[in-house]
Amino acid sequence: NSSTTTYGRSSTSKKFFDTAGVGYQVFVPTFNDSNADGMGDLRGIINKLDYLKSLSVDTLWLTPFLECNSYHGYDTVDYFKVDPRFGTNEDFQELIFKAHEKGIKVLMDLVINHASTASDLFKKAQRAEKGVDLYGNEFEYRNMFHFLMEGQKTQTGDLVENDPDWHHDGESKYYYYANDAKHHTMKEK
């Protein structure tokens, strides 16, 4: 359940609030293109760290740059891999190291509440697989997403098959929730 009335909103931690200083948000695809491919990248940010420091930036907030299927990055395919359009994991490590050398913190917009239908997590949920967490507790991948069976009603009271935010899951009788997914995703990798 992702309702804010059920769980409330989390506030910014006092430590971060007290130490963030001057923040600068970077939309990675448009900030600085280091290899002339028409897309900003992590190396481009590394190349502009002196400029950012000259602006008195204390915290660099990076929009999503992990492997995804969209221009905006909010549908993660792999939570452990930098999207090749933006560089490599090594580029990200170098960015953190060099930013820290200049006294700049790096804040990732880590999108844990959205995932691509191409992600392994979603594919395991489709197959109703079970997993085991780090503490040995069994869990169901399907519980990481919103699935309803044909004929069930959504929160709006509509049958799931009539609600445009619910998408039929292949040949099964299940539907998954993906608000606006068809408008923003690129061809799956």
Side-chain angles (χ1 to χ4, degrees):
N1 184 344
S2 56
S3 167
T4 56
T5 57
T6 302
Y7 297 106
R9 296 192 185 272
S10 297
S11 61
T12 301
S13 76
K14 180 166 175 29
K15 179 180 179 186
F16 181 78
F17 187 80
D18 290 343
T19 63
V22 174
Y24 190 99
Q25 184 179 15
V26 171
F27 184 60
V28 178
T30 62
F31 182 70
N32 188 36
D33 178 6
S34 71
N35 58 5
D37 68 353
M39 174 131 345
D41 48 49
L42 298 177
R43 174 84 28 220
I45 298 168
I46 293 167
N47 294 343
K48 291 290 185 177
L49 285 174
D50 286 333
Y51 165 73
L52 293 166
K53 189 62 182 174
S54 77
L55 297 176
S56 300
V57 170
D58 298 302
T59 301
L60 192 57
W61 175 11
L62 306 179
T63 58
F65 58 86
L66 296 176
E67 186 178 12
C68 68
N69 304 22
S70 66
Y71 72 93
H72 52 66
Y74 285 93
D75 59 340
T76 306
V77 172
D78 188 338
Y79 289 93
F80 297 98
K81 182 179 177 193
V82 168
D83 193 301
R85 296 174 297 166
F86 306 129
T88 65
N89 287 13
E90 291 77 18
D91 291 335
F92 181 52
Q93 290 172 340
E94 183 179 342
L95 171 60
I96 291 171
F97 180 79
K98 288 187 173 179
H100 286 182
E101 278 187 328
K102 296 182 182 309
I104 300 173
K105 298 174 189 76
V106 178
L107 179 66
M108 280 179 75
D109 193 344
L110 180 61
V111 188
I112 58 173
N113 59 336
H114 299 278
S116 169
T117 55
S119 77
D120 284 340
L121 296 173
F122 185 79
K123 289 176 181 180
K124 289 177 179 183
Q126 285 179 299
R127 296 187 297 263
E129 289 185 25
K130 294 183 179 186
V132 178
D133 69 18
L134 295 174
Y135 303 103
N137 302 309
E138 191 173 89
F139 67 93
E140 295 182 27
Y141 283 94
R142 186 157 279 190
N143 288 338
M144 299 172 85
F145 299 89
H146 294 287
F147 279 89
L148 289 176
M149 187 173 270
E150 186 177 291
Q152 290 184 297
K153 290 188 177 187
T154 67
Q155 287 182 325
T156 63
D158 294 324
L159 287 174
V160 67
E161 54 268 30
N162 297 330
D163 189 318
D165 290 335
W166 290 80
H167 305 275
H168 190 238
D169 187 24
E171 301 297 316
S172 76
K173 292 187 178 192
Y174 283 94
Y175 286 74
Y176 61 90
Y177 180 77
N179 186 340
D180 211 25
K182 289 187 177 191
H183 299 290
H184 295 297
T185 57
M186 298 184 314
K187 185 177 179 186
E188 289 188 1
K189 295 180 180 183

